[in-house]
Amino acid sequence: MNATADRILDAGQELIQTGGFSAMSFQDIASEVGIRKPSIIHHFPTKAELGVAIIRRYRDTFAAQLQQISEDPAKSSWDALEFYFSPYLFLASTPDKVCLCGALAGEIPVLPEVMRVEVKQFIEAHQRWLEEILREGVERGELMLIDSSKSLSRVIFNSLQGSLLVRRSTEDVSQLKEIINAMRKLVKSESSIQQIR
Amino acid sequence: MNATADRILDAGQELIQTGGFSAMSFQDIASEVGIRKPSIIHHFPTKAELGVAIIRRYRDTFAAQLQQISEDPAKSSWDALEFYFSPYLFLASTPDKVCLCGALAGEIPVLPEVMRVEVKQFIEAHQRWLEEILREGVERGELMLIDSSKSLSRVIFNSLQGSLLVRRSTEDVSQLKEIINAMRKLVKSESSIQQIR
DNA sequence: GACAAACTACCTACCGTTCGGTAGTTTTTA
DNA sequence: TAAAAACTACCGAACGGTAGGTAGTTTGTC
């Protein structure tokens, strides 16, 4: 729609993912986009409303991609899981950047109320979806879980968020990829289980 | 040593664990301790130095407790692991509060350089220690790992950090305890393995 | 009396936000 | 169809508030 508004959202999201919402300022965004501070307020009246807009755009984009995968009959539960990992694998190549939801979750107590609600809904949706992939995978006999789908979905989600957080503090750049490999081991496909037997 | 200095560190740590370093202010600490803002600066000249002092105290206390456990010949690797979990189990009863290292890791890019160094060293030490518990447990034949000690230590550490982060956004208050239970399943003691066989 | 600890008062820098205003485009209306 | 009205995008200047930090002074204690 509006090019400027989108560029503001882009710059804002980038800043949240690298430094957090508190550290993100209108001035930073203005410098990045190439406009003046009050012009941002013209598009997004308050910082809280800008934050909400960033979350909603992210969530809607993600939800649309999920929908596309789940509606494709050619895709297995394993494919869906790999798709779930893909954003994190992408983040693996951009050091010092975390998932948007993880960055915001870390600031929940100091976030404006409207944003808190938005973050909670997003994270809950994120967890529910992963649980559903696992549950359906077991039901179809495509996945072999080491634990219950609910428990394992929590472990995987938390591990991914945690590793994005922690890797910024370690020199070990491949840690995120290793974690994803470890997560794959916790969710074995039937074929690889048969190989082990 | 000094009562006031310790109370400043206490209040500061509490504020970092709930809202992060950026959101922690001298004014907040002063109000909490019951003194004026410049009095804090009398004890800790800059915010960065205060941050470093908080991290160092936390790390030293933790390291001392670790030492105590590892030197006790009566304690098994399983006991050591349970001790490793204990701070997280304690945090489970204090909602909206995360581990100090997790809170700071989330702000790495906007932290003063002196603090970044401190945080990195702390987290690396934390990971190394967990890996050592697991490695030694396998060596002694006390633990049965589902993956390599290095890989599994990363999964566990990241899961713990991640779940502290994420739980603030979910109504599910027992999630942290469930995660720790799931982690226990990934590290089975020999006796429980034999029960399964 | 010496020294640390706490104070009052103040500084600069930056925050989100508001205000008043300027172009240029679109819509309404006679 | 042409003038009037409204709207969009942006701007400079300034607001109240708060941040971290400084200078100088008083208070309490050995």
Side-chain angles (χ1 to χ4, degrees):
Chain A
M1 204 215 299
N2 190 314
T4 306
D6 273 337
R7 278 161 63 216
I8 291 170
L9 293 173
D10 288 341
Q13 184 179 323
E14 180 89 17
L15 285 166
I16 292 175
Q17 286 187 263
T18 50
F21 182 76
S22 298
M24 175 197 84
S25 75
F26 282 167
Q27 191 54 65
D28 292 336
I29 298 174
S31 302
E32 182 64 33
V33 175
I35 55 176
R36 303 292 165 184
K37 199 169 61 165
S39 304
I40 297 170
I41 287 137
H42 169 74
H43 292 279
F44 305 97
T46 66
K47 197 185 178 186
E49 286 183 61
L50 173 58
V52 168
I54 290 171
I55 299 168
R56 289 213 177 127
R57 188 184 67 155
Y58 188 105
R59 189 177 53 192
D60 290 349
T61 307
F62 199 77
Q65 291 176 305
L66 304 192
Q67 191 71 11
Q68 204 177 326
I69 287 277
S70 70
E71 282 179 352
D72 188 340
K75 303 276 185 175
S76 72
S77 295
W78 188 259
D79 292 325
L81 189 66
E82 283 301 316
F83 173 76
Y84 188 86
F85 288 152
S86 63
Y88 297 94
L89 282 169
F90 176 73
L91 281 173
S93 59
T94 59
D96 290 342
K97 207 166 154 185
V98 297
C99 175
L100 183 65
C101 51
L104 293 167
E107 298 182 278
I108 282 276
V110 294
L111 249 36
E113 180 58 27
V114 278
M115 286 186 67
R116 261 204 295 266
V117 174
E118 215 70 30
V119 173
K120 284 187 183 185
Q121 287 176 356
F122 182 42
I123 286 186
E124 278 166 10
H126 215 77
Q127 284 191 328
R128 254 200 321 273
W129 188 71
L130 178 58
E131 191 182 337
E132 188 59 21
I133 292 179
L134 298 182
R135 201 192 54 70
E136 221 175 88
V138 171
E139 213 169 58
R140 291 185 193 168
E142 291 172 354
L143 299 178
M144 189 87 172
L145 309 187
I146 207 161
D147 203 342
S148 72
S149 60
K150 181 172 180 177
S151 175
L152 194 52
S153 69
R154 300 294 188 265
V155 170
I156 293 176
F157 183 69
N158 289 328
S159 292
L160 291 172
Q161 298 303 325
S163 57
L164 281 172
L165 198 72
V166 169
R167 77 184 171 127
R168 296 204 281 207
S169 311
T170 51
E171 302 304 321
D172 192 353
V173 287
S174 62
Q175 196 171 125
L176 182 54
K177 286 184 180 177
E178 283 176 18
I179 286 287
I180 291 174
N181 268 328
M183 293 299 110
R184 288 197 185 101
K185 288 184 193 170
L186 301 182
V187 186
K188 292 194 161 59
S189 68
E190 278 293 343
S191 57
S192 64
I193 290 286
Q194 279 160 3
Q195 277 177 10
I196 290 169
R197 278 176 192 153
Chain B
M1 204 214 297
N2 189 315
T4 306
D6 273 336
R7 278 162 62 218
I8 290 168
L9 292 173
D10 288 341
Q13 185 179 322
E14 180 87 18
L15 285 166
I16 291 175
Q17 287 188 260
T18 50
F21 182 75
S22 299
M24 175 197 85
S25 75
F26 283 162
Q27 191 53 63
D28 292 336
I29 298 174
S31 303
E32 182 64 34
V33 175
I35 55 175
R36 304 289 169 185
K37 196 173 67 168
S39 304
I40 296 171
I41 291 150
H42 170 74
H43 291 279
F44 305 97
T46 65
K47 197 185 178 187
E49 285 183 62
L50 172 58
V52 167
I54 290 171
I55 300 169
R56 288 212 177 128
R57 189 184 65 154
Y58 189 106
R59 188 177 54 192
D60 291 349
T61 307
F62 199 78
Q65 290 175 307
L66 302 194
Q67 191 71 12
Q68 203 178 328
I69 287 276
S70 70
E71 282 177 353
D72 187 340
K75 304 276 184 176
S76 71
S77 296
W78 188 259
D79 293 324
L81 189 66
E82 283 300 316
F83 173 76
Y84 188 86
F85 288 152
S86 63
Y88 297 95
L89 282 168
F90 176 73
L91 282 172
S93 59
T94 58
D96 290 341
K97 208 168 151 183
V98 297
C99 174
L100 182 65
C101 51
L104 292 168
E107 298 181 278
I108 282 275
V110 293
L111 249 38
E113 181 58 25
V114 277
M115 286 186 67
R116 261 205 294 267
V117 173
E118 217 70 30
V119 173
K120 284 189 183 187
Q121 287 176 355
F122 182 42
I123 286 186
E124 278 165 9
H126 216 77
Q127 284 192 328
R128 254 200 319 275
W129 187 70
L130 177 57
E131 189 182 338
E132 189 59 21
I133 292 178
L134 298 183
R135 202 191 53 72
E136 220 174 270
V138 172
E139 214 168 58
R140 291 184 193 168
E142 290 172 354
L143 298 178
M144 189 83 171
L145 308 188
I146 204 164
D147 203 341
S148 72
S149 60
K150 181 171 181 178
S151 175
L152 194 53
S153 68
R154 300 294 188 265
V155 170
I156 293 176
F157 183 70
N158 289 329
S159 292
L160 291 171
Q161 298 303 325
S163 58
L164 282 171
L165 198 72
V166 169
R167 75 185 173 127
R168 296 204 282 205
S169 310
T170 50
E171 303 303 321
D172 192 355
V173 288
S174 63
Q175 193 170 126
L176 182 54
K177 286 183 179 176
E178 281 175 19
I179 287 288
I180 291 174
N181 267 329
M183 294 299 109
R184 289 196 185 102
K185 287 184 194 169
L186 301 182
V187 186
K188 293 195 159 61
S189 69
E190 277 294 343
S191 59
S192 64
I193 289 286
Q194 278 159 3
Q195 277 177 9
I196 290 169
R197 279 176 191 153

